[in-house]
Amino acid sequence: MLSVEGKAVNFRSLVQAEQWRDLTDRGRRRTFRNGTVLLRQGESSDCVIALAEGVVRVVQTSHCGGEMTLMLRGPGEVLGEVGALLGRPRSATVTAVGLCTGFVLPAHAFRGYVERHHLEQVVYQLTVDRLNNQENLRSDLAHLSSVARIARVITHLATEVGVPDGDGGLAVDLGMAREELARMAMMSRSSALAALSRLQSAGILRPGRRRLVITDAARLKVAALGTECP
């Protein structure tokens, strides 16, 4: 997958082609429409979904009821794998952004698959890397300007789900309102809108209601570092 940071690391990229095929062959193919909840926080981890097409949004709800988008995930991801392996309830809700296709298999079948191919270390390492990435992002945001914060979050999302838009840009289907993007960047909606406007005026990106197109990936990376303000 093309992105401002190169190819995103996901489950499929860490296993052999025949191992991925074995996983999807054991699942039941399903299509999920935009807005469909694939997995719900707090529910039993009774199945795992291998995402073949589309983008999903991972949202976590706090004890006080507030929601936070953790990340967007794209094709090649396995969803719900940690809860299935540990026998714990879902830690987040996963919702389809646009039309998605996935292969659903029972948790016990996924555990057998992991044991058969000796993939315990792969799942563990991928989980740890994602947690570290989330912690590093939050730590970095605390010390950046508003423009750098929003640029850093967009860069992060583009790494996961960015795709060429056909005009030389990189499209990111957000599947969320501007308020949610602002929360991800740890800033107010008004500050996020102002930052997006500055990036747009600088010719770095073209924002839409629920979709962004990065028109200058190199300058977005510079803006995300906070060393130059567009």
Side-chain angles (χ1 to χ4, degrees):
M1 159 190 322
L2 295 175
S3 76
V4 292
E5 293 289 344
K7 291 187 176 182
V9 175
N10 56 27
F11 186 85
R12 185 174 185 176
S13 69
L14 296 177
V15 301
Q16 299 175 10
E18 56 267 28
Q19 292 174 330
W20 176 259
R21 284 196 299 271
D22 184 34
L23 177 62
T24 57
D25 286 346
R26 294 175 184 278
R28 178 168 56 91
R29 188 179 187 277
R30 283 196 58 188
T31 299
F32 304 93
R33 296 184 181 277
N34 179 45
T36 301
V37 174
L38 283 69
L39 307 173
R40 193 179 299 278
Q41 182 175 336
E43 292 185 346
S44 173
S45 299
D46 57 355
C47 70
V48 169
I49 303 175
L51 187 63
E53 298 175 357
V55 173
V56 297
R57 185 161 68 102
V58 183
V59 178
Q60 196 167 63
T61 303
S62 66
H63 294 297
C64 60
E67 291 187 351
M68 168 66 75
T69 296
L70 301 179
M71 184 48 62
L72 300 177
R73 300 294 184 198
E77 293 288 358
V78 173
L79 310 171
E81 76 284 9
V82 175
L85 290 177
L86 299 180
R88 296 179 180 176
R90 309 283 189 204
S91 60
T93 296
V94 179
T95 306
V97 176
L99 192 65
C100 296
T101 300
F103 294 85
V104 184
L105 64 159
H108 68 84
F110 180 71
R111 289 192 292 268
Y113 162 83
V114 170
E115 293 175 3
R116 185 164 51 257
H117 292 288
H118 308 290
L119 296 175
E120 293 88 352
Q121 185 61 31
V122 169
V123 176
Y124 172 78
Q125 189 61 55
L126 188 57
T127 301
V128 170
D129 287 346
R130 285 174 176 168
L131 290 174
N132 286 339
N133 287 340
Q134 288 289 330
E135 292 176 0
N136 290 338
L137 176 63
R138 288 185 173 277
S139 177
D140 291 343
L141 290 177
H143 306 288
L144 294 171
S145 67
S146 59
V147 172
R149 287 186 183 191
I150 206 74
R152 182 69 63 90
V153 169
I154 292 172
T155 298
H156 201 56
L157 296 176
T159 300
E160 294 292 336
V161 299
V163 294
D165 74 335
D167 293 321
L170 192 72
V172 181
D173 287 324
L174 298 173
M176 68 182 91
R178 291 289 176 264
E179 292 84 353
E180 190 62 24
L181 186 63
R183 281 194 288 269
M184 286 191 72
M186 298 171 58
M187 57 200 299
S188 67
R189 181 179 183 275
S190 59
S191 295
L193 290 175
L196 286 169
S197 179
R198 291 181 66 177
L199 291 170
Q200 181 179 12
S201 298
I204 294 175
L205 59 81
R206 187 168 64 251
R209 185 176 180 185
R210 291 177 178 267
R211 188 174 190 257
L212 295 172
V213 176
I214 300 167
T215 52
D216 193 330
R219 292 182 64 201
L220 180 67
K221 289 173 65 176
V222 172
L225 293 174
T227 55
E228 179 180 316
C229 187

